[in-house]
Amino acid sequence: MTRGPRWGAAVLAVALLAGGCTRDDDGPFHPGAADVGDPYVPGAGNGGYDVGHYALKVRYDPADDRLTGEAVLTVTATRALSRFQLDLAGLTVDRVRVDGAPAKHRRDGAELVITPPRGLPAGQRFAVEVTYGGVPEPLPSAELGDGGFHATGDGAIALGQPESASTWYPVNDHPSDKATYDIEVTVPDGLAALSNGVPKGTGSRGGWTTWRWSEASPMASYLSTLVIGDYRVATGTHGGKPIVTAVAAGLPADGPAAASVARTGEIADFLAGRFGPYPFDAYGGIVVADDRIRYALETQSRPVYGPGFFRGAGPNTDVVAHELAHQWFGDSVSVARWSDLWLNEGFATYAEWLWAEHDGRRTVERAFTDRYAVTDWSKPTVDPGRAAMFGDAVYQRGALAVHALRRAVGDDTFFRILRGWLAERRDGTATTADFVAHAERTAGKPLRPLFDAWLVGASAPALP
């Protein structure tokens, strides 16, 4: 580990990777970059364009695990393009059209390379239609575990971080390119098909039911989800917005999982009192029963929880607080690159501390001192390396840095920093350097030495 500031160098490295030269083999048009240059997800994401909207229609039959889909992407070229790439893993493409005209396409591993009939000038908005199908599979990762599409006994679960979306639809699979979504999922009658955003109703025909969802706020692709199966689905409203929760039918109707997600609205309201207005048009949560899902994920507006969080005698509302906090930190304001993941996880872990104190169990100050005493300061929070991106340094040391900031500036300024950050960056992306600069502006004093010590210093920092 390098002592002192690290994120300035990381910014430069990513900029150099993303902006590397491309040979001009196609006159005034250029091939789009096949990689955004994020070393944490080599090969994921693509350059040269920005996706504004995904309209997805998929049909899935658990009897043979086959998925068929039609995706229509609304895209803007950010440079003059002769061809461009989408991420799509393991599925067969039947047809591609660009602005209604047939386009050449080929596979290059997990990349779908598309050559439109004419070059696309910079600034041009265009539509990409992809018809595809096959038996989707997860993306294997020895370091991070398998993410993506998992067939289950009664349906499927599409979930994972940092990559999952490309296993069930063509996508620019990096959080730096957020987009809005309309999702239609057709499944056999009797099964639920749950996804992100506002429910737009269901319709049945010929033994199949189509479930419709709409997410009108920009969403990073890894936050999209698809959960199909036998679920007890509860719908209602909270604060004038729809709330949809679902618990796998194989879990007890009156058990810890159901009791925990039943408090979603209450916990979201508590967090809104600290962070500012809830940022999306719907609330919810989904508890799955598949033991392969050994984590919870902040899928936008509707977090998904693995069953292991609810094996105790009583509810586990801390995990609900963590994933709901991500709706602000991570979903509304997303990381521009994965090396800054603490901006998601450090604040969500801190939200757990806030909720536990509110719930009458442990004070934030006690959580801080207990964690400070056992922290391994040799492991950095910023740019921890791909293998350590979900380690304690990102989550727990990140939360320590958040509380150190609170101690240094006082409660009033601290919460003004958080609320201002979330309001200014809503629906966008950011880096650690962005947050430090915002905190300094709001506090009216230098804070870089504090963040250096608490995020990347190699020894225990002095308590502020």
Side-chain angles (χ1 to χ4, degrees):
M1 192 189 95
T2 302
R3 290 179 178 268
R6 294 170 59 90
W7 52 81
V11 170
L12 178 59
V14 171
L16 289 173
L17 284 166
C21 295
T22 302
R23 287 181 58 196
D24 183 358
D25 295 324
D26 302 278
F29 297 98
H30 308 262
D35 189 323
V36 295
D38 189 329
Y40 283 58
V41 284
N46 302 280
Y49 64 88
D50 176 78
V51 181
H53 183 72
Y54 293 89
L56 308 177
K57 295 181 180 180
V58 300
R59 179 183 175 109
Y60 181 72
D61 189 350
D64 59 7
D65 296 335
R66 182 169 177 79
L67 179 145
T68 57
E70 179 182 295
V72 180
L73 287 63
T74 303
V75 186
T76 301
T78 58
R79 64 175 299 179
L81 293 173
S82 58
R83 65 179 181 269
F84 58 93
Q85 288 78 228
L86 294 170
D87 299 301
L88 183 65
L91 296 171
T92 299
V93 175
D94 299 316
R95 186 183 70 184
V96 177
R97 293 179 180 271
V98 175
D99 280 341
K104 295 180 180 178
H105 60 91
R106 61 180 175 84
R107 299 301 299 265
D108 183 6
E111 295 287 317
L112 173 62
V113 183
I114 299 171
T115 303
R118 293 173 297 279
L120 300 166
Q124 178 171 324
R125 189 180 183 187
F126 59 98
V128 182
E129 304 171 47
V130 182
T131 304
Y132 61 99
V135 177
E137 296 180 353
L139 294 168
S141 171
E143 294 171 308
L144 303 179
D146 294 352
F149 199 98
H150 298 266
T152 65
D154 60 354
I157 302 167
L159 192 70
Q161 184 183 17
E163 298 174 86
S164 62
S166 65
T167 62
W168 63 285
Y169 64 94
V171 60
N172 194 17
D173 207 2
H174 192 270
S176 58
D177 188 3
K178 300 169 72 169
T180 57
Y181 283 73
D182 284 299
I183 301 172
E184 292 188 11
V185 189
T186 301
V187 295
D189 287 347
L191 297 182
L194 304 155
S195 192
N196 308 87
V198 173
K200 293 295 184 178
T202 61
S204 296
R205 182 179 180 182
W208 295 80
T209 300
T210 298
W211 297 62
R212 298 176 178 86
W213 305 89
S214 182
E215 178 51 80
S217 296
M219 178 167 67
S221 54
Y222 82 96
L223 298 172
S224 63
T225 190
L226 179 59
V227 177
I228 298 168
D230 187 6
Y231 287 82
R232 291 187 299 273
V233 181
T235 61
T237 58
H238 180 80
K241 299 178 179 182
I243 181 168
V244 180
T245 58
V247 178
L251 299 174
D254 58 353
S260 299
V261 296
R263 298 183 71 181
T264 292
E266 173 194 355
I267 296 169
D269 287 348
F270 166 77
L271 296 174
R274 274 67 183 168
F275 303 152
Y278 181 74
F280 301 121
D281 292 334
Y283 300 87
I286 305 168
V287 185
V288 301
D290 194 310
D291 285 324
R292 291 173 298 177
I293 308 302
R294 298 190 297 271
Y295 55 90
L297 186 60
E298 60 272 17
T299 44
Q300 191 157 308
S301 76
R302 196 150 294 115
V304 176
Y305 306 92
F309 292 99
F310 307 108
R311 295 214 164 102
N316 178 358
T317 55
D318 285 351
V319 68
V320 177
H322 184 105
E323 303 310 324
L324 289 177
H326 276 311
Q327 304 307 302
W328 286 266
F329 294 97
D331 294 14
S332 179
V333 183
S334 302
V335 291
R337 58 173 186 264
W338 287 110
S339 58
D340 285 321
L341 188 60
W342 85 275
L343 288 170
N344 298 5
E345 301 300 349
F347 284 96
T349 302
Y350 192 70
E352 287 187 58
W353 298 0
L354 293 171
W355 170 251
E357 181 176 80
H358 173 77
D359 209 32
R361 288 179 282 117
R362 183 176 67 167
T363 66
V364 171
E365 196 63 30
R366 181 60 184 268
F368 174 78
T369 55
D370 288 351
R371 177 53 59 176
Y372 179 89
V374 298
T375 293
D376 180 354
W377 300 99
S378 69
K379 296 180 179 180
T381 301
V382 178
D383 199 10
R386 175 180 164 89
M389 65 188 293
F390 299 116
D392 278 353
V394 173
Y395 287 68
Q396 302 295 338
R397 185 172 174 179
L400 289 174
V402 174
H403 193 63
L405 173 63
R406 182 177 177 179
R407 279 184 161 202
V409 301
D411 279 11
D412 287 348
T413 300
F414 173 75
F415 285 107
R416 278 197 296 114
I417 289 171
L418 300 196
R419 287 190 290 267
W421 169 252
L422 294 165
E424 292 174 13
R425 294 281 175 167
R426 182 170 179 167
D427 294 336
T429 62
T431 66
T432 297
D434 293 330
F435 181 76
V436 173
H438 169 80
E440 289 183 325
R441 287 195 305 270
T442 305
K445 64 179 181 179
L447 292 169
R448 181 64 176 267
L450 179 139
F451 283 107
D452 283 349
W454 286 88
L455 293 175
V456 296
S459 58
L463 296 173

